[in-house]
Structure formats: structure tokens, C-alpha cells
Short mmCIF file of all heavy atoms in Angstrom, two decimals:
data_model
loop_
_atom_site.label_atom_id
_atom_site.label_comp_id
_atom_site.label_asym_id
_atom_site.label_seq_id
_atom_site.Cartn_x
_atom_site.Cartn_y
_atom_site.Cartn_z
N ASP P 253 269.35 58.27 156.00
CA ASP P 253 268.78 58.90 157.18
C ASP P 253 267.82 59.97 156.69
O ASP P 253 268.23 61.05 156.27
CB ASP P 253 269.90 59.52 158.02
CG ASP P 253 269.39 60.14 159.32
OD1 ASP P 253 268.19 60.46 159.41
OD2 ASP P 253 270.20 60.33 160.24
N LEU P 254 266.53 59.68 156.72
CA LEU P 254 265.54 60.56 156.13
C LEU P 254 265.35 61.86 156.91
O LEU P 254 264.86 62.84 156.37
CB LEU P 254 264.20 59.84 155.99
CG LEU P 254 264.21 58.64 155.05
CD1 LEU P 254 262.84 57.98 155.01
CD2 LEU P 254 264.64 59.02 153.65
N ALA P 255 265.75 61.86 158.18
CA ALA P 255 265.65 63.10 158.96
C ALA P 255 266.69 64.10 158.49
O ALA P 255 266.40 65.29 158.33
CB ALA P 255 265.84 62.80 160.45
N ASP P 256 267.92 63.65 158.27
CA ASP P 256 269.00 64.53 157.82
C ASP P 256 269.06 64.67 156.31
O ASP P 256 269.61 65.66 155.80
CB ASP P 256 270.34 64.01 158.33
CG ASP P 256 270.47 64.11 159.85
OD1 ASP P 256 269.73 64.90 160.44
OD2 ASP P 256 271.30 63.38 160.41
N ASP P 257 268.50 63.69 155.61
CA ASP P 257 268.68 63.63 154.14
C ASP P 257 267.36 63.23 153.49
O ASP P 257 267.22 62.15 152.93
CB ASP P 257 269.78 62.59 153.84
CG ASP P 257 270.04 62.41 152.36
OD1 ASP P 257 269.80 63.36 151.58
OD2 ASP P 257 270.49 61.32 151.97
N PRO P 258 266.36 64.12 153.54
CA PRO P 258 265.04 63.76 153.01
C PRO P 258 265.03 63.52 151.51
O PRO P 258 264.12 62.83 151.03
CB PRO P 258 264.17 64.98 153.39
CG PRO P 258 265.12 66.10 153.58
CD PRO P 258 266.37 65.48 154.12
N GLU P 259 266.02 64.03 150.78
CA GLU P 259 266.06 63.80 149.33
C GLU P 259 266.84 62.54 148.98
O GLU P 259 267.04 62.24 147.80
CB GLU P 259 266.69 65.02 148.63
CG GLU P 259 266.08 66.35 148.99
CD GLU P 259 264.58 66.38 148.85
OE1 GLU P 259 264.05 65.70 147.94
OE2 GLU P 259 263.93 67.07 149.65
N GLU P 260 267.32 61.80 149.98
CA GLU P 260 267.99 60.51 149.77
C GLU P 260 269.17 60.62 148.81
O GLU P 260 269.30 59.87 147.85
CB GLU P 260 266.98 59.46 149.30
CG GLU P 260 265.83 59.28 150.28
CD GLU P 260 264.65 58.52 149.72
OE1 GLU P 260 263.90 59.11 148.90
OE2 GLU P 260 264.47 57.33 150.08
N ARG P 261 270.06 61.55 149.11
CA ARG P 261 271.22 61.80 148.26
C ARG P 261 272.50 61.19 148.81
O ARG P 261 273.47 61.00 148.08
CB ARG P 261 271.42 63.30 148.08
CG ARG P 261 270.29 64.02 147.35
CD ARG P 261 270.29 63.65 145.87
NE ARG P 261 271.32 64.36 145.15
CZ ARG P 261 272.16 63.83 144.27
NH1 ARG P 261 272.11 62.53 144.03
NH2 ARG P 261 273.05 64.55 143.65
N THR P 262 272.51 60.86 150.11
CA THR P 262 273.73 60.36 150.73
C THR P 262 273.54 58.94 151.20
O THR P 262 272.83 58.69 152.19
CB THR P 262 274.13 61.26 151.94
OG1 THR P 262 274.29 62.61 151.50
CG2 THR P 262 275.44 60.77 152.54
N ASN P 263 274.15 58.00 150.49
CA ASN P 263 274.08 56.59 150.85
C ASN P 263 275.07 56.33 151.98
O ASN P 263 276.29 56.47 151.81
CB ASN P 263 274.38 55.73 149.64
CG ASN P 263 274.28 54.24 149.94
OD1 ASN P 263 273.87 53.84 151.03
ND2 ASN P 263 274.64 53.42 148.97
N LEU P 264 274.56 55.94 153.14
CA LEU P 264 275.38 55.73 154.32
C LEU P 264 275.90 54.30 154.44
O LEU P 264 276.47 53.95 155.47
CB LEU P 264 274.57 56.08 155.58
CG LEU P 264 274.06 57.52 155.69
CD1 LEU P 264 273.13 57.67 156.89
CD2 LEU P 264 275.23 58.50 155.77
N ALA P 265 275.70 53.48 153.40
CA ALA P 265 276.08 52.07 153.49
C ALA P 265 277.57 51.87 153.74
O ALA P 265 277.97 50.87 154.34
CB ALA P 265 275.64 51.32 152.24
N ALA P 266 278.39 52.82 153.29
CA ALA P 266 279.84 52.70 153.48
C ALA P 266 280.34 53.51 154.66
O ALA P 266 281.53 53.54 154.93
CB ALA P 266 280.56 53.13 152.21
N SER P 267 279.42 54.17 155.37
CA SER P 267 279.82 55.03 156.49
C SER P 267 280.29 54.18 157.67
O SER P 267 279.55 53.30 158.14
CB SER P 267 278.64 55.90 156.91
OG SER P 267 278.88 56.47 158.18
N PRO P 268 281.51 54.39 158.18
CA PRO P 268 281.98 53.63 159.34
C PRO P 268 281.06 53.75 160.55
O PRO P 268 280.93 52.81 161.34
CB PRO P 268 283.37 54.22 159.62
CG PRO P 268 283.79 54.85 158.32
CD PRO P 268 282.53 55.32 157.67
N ASP P 269 280.42 54.91 160.69
CA ASP P 269 279.56 55.13 161.86
C ASP P 269 278.23 54.38 161.78
O ASP P 269 277.48 54.35 162.76
CB ASP P 269 279.26 56.63 162.00
CG ASP P 269 280.49 57.44 162.31
OD1 ASP P 269 281.46 56.87 162.86
OD2 ASP P 269 280.49 58.66 162.01
N HIS P 270 277.95 53.77 160.63
CA HIS P 270 276.65 53.13 160.45
C HIS P 270 276.75 51.62 160.18
O HIS P 270 275.76 51.00 159.79
CB HIS P 270 275.87 53.79 159.31
CG HIS P 270 275.47 55.20 159.60
ND1 HIS P 270 276.32 56.26 159.44
CD2 HIS P 270 274.30 55.72 160.07
CE1 HIS P 270 275.69 57.38 159.78
NE2 HIS P 270 274.48 57.07 160.17
N GLN P 271 277.94 51.05 160.39
CA GLN P 271 278.11 49.63 160.07
C GLN P 271 277.32 48.70 160.97
O GLN P 271 276.80 47.66 160.53
CB GLN P 271 279.59 49.27 160.09
CG GLN P 271 280.40 49.90 158.96
CD GLN P 271 279.77 49.72 157.60
OE1 GLN P 271 279.66 48.58 157.12
NE2 GLN P 271 279.33 50.80 156.98
N LYS P 272 277.20 49.04 162.24
CA LYS P 272 276.41 48.20 163.14
C LYS P 272 274.95 48.21 162.73
O LYS P 272 274.28 47.16 162.68
CB LYS P 272 276.58 48.68 164.59
CG LYS P 272 275.81 47.82 165.59
CD LYS P 272 276.07 48.28 167.02
CE LYS P 272 275.29 47.42 168.01
NZ LYS P 272 275.51 47.88 169.42
N LEU P 273 274.43 49.40 162.44
CA LEU P 273 273.04 49.53 161.98
C LEU P 273 272.85 48.77 160.67
O LEU P 273 271.85 48.04 160.51
CB LEU P 273 272.69 51.01 161.80
CG LEU P 273 271.28 51.33 161.32
CD1 LEU P 273 270.25 50.93 162.36
CD2 LEU P 273 271.15 52.83 161.02
N LEU P 274 273.78 48.95 159.75
CA LEU P 274 273.70 48.26 158.46
C LEU P 274 273.68 46.75 158.64
O LEU P 274 272.88 46.03 158.02
CB LEU P 274 274.86 48.69 157.57
CG LEU P 274 274.83 48.20 156.12
CD1 LEU P 274 273.91 49.11 155.29
CD2 LEU P 274 276.23 48.22 155.52
N GLY P 275 274.58 46.23 159.50
CA GLY P 275 274.64 44.80 159.73
C GLY P 275 273.36 44.26 160.32
O GLY P 275 272.89 43.17 159.94
N GLY P 276 272.75 45.02 161.23
CA GLY P 276 271.47 44.59 161.79
C GLY P 276 270.38 44.51 160.74
O GLY P 276 269.57 43.56 160.74
N PHE P 277 270.33 45.48 159.84
CA PHE P 277 269.35 45.46 158.75
C PHE P 277 269.58 44.25 157.85
O PHE P 277 268.62 43.62 157.39
CB PHE P 277 269.40 46.76 157.95
CG PHE P 277 268.61 47.89 158.55
CD1 PHE P 277 269.17 49.14 158.69
CD2 PHE P 277 267.29 47.70 158.95
CE1 PHE P 277 268.44 50.20 159.23
CE2 PHE P 277 266.55 48.75 159.48
CZ PHE P 277 267.12 49.99 159.63
#
């Protein structure tokens, strides 16, 4: 999420809140 994490330090691929978004991608 470049708005919250512009330095790209937090990979959200395992985040439960982002699984629907991840699946769509």
C-alpha cells in the first residue's frame, strides 16, 4: 500500500484483510 507504506517495507500478501484484493490481482 504505497499511500501508507511509500518505502515498500510491509508486504501485505499474508494480511488477512487483503486476501480478497490479493486474489483479484
Side-chain angles (χ1 to χ4, degrees):
D253 183 339
L254 297 179
D256 293 339
D257 179 27
E259 309 309 326
E260 302 167 285
R261 295 289 283 134
T262 303
N263 182 5
L264 299 173
S267 165
D269 294 337
H270 293 82
Q271 292 310 295
K272 182 177 179 180
L273 179 66
L274 188 81
F277 276 131

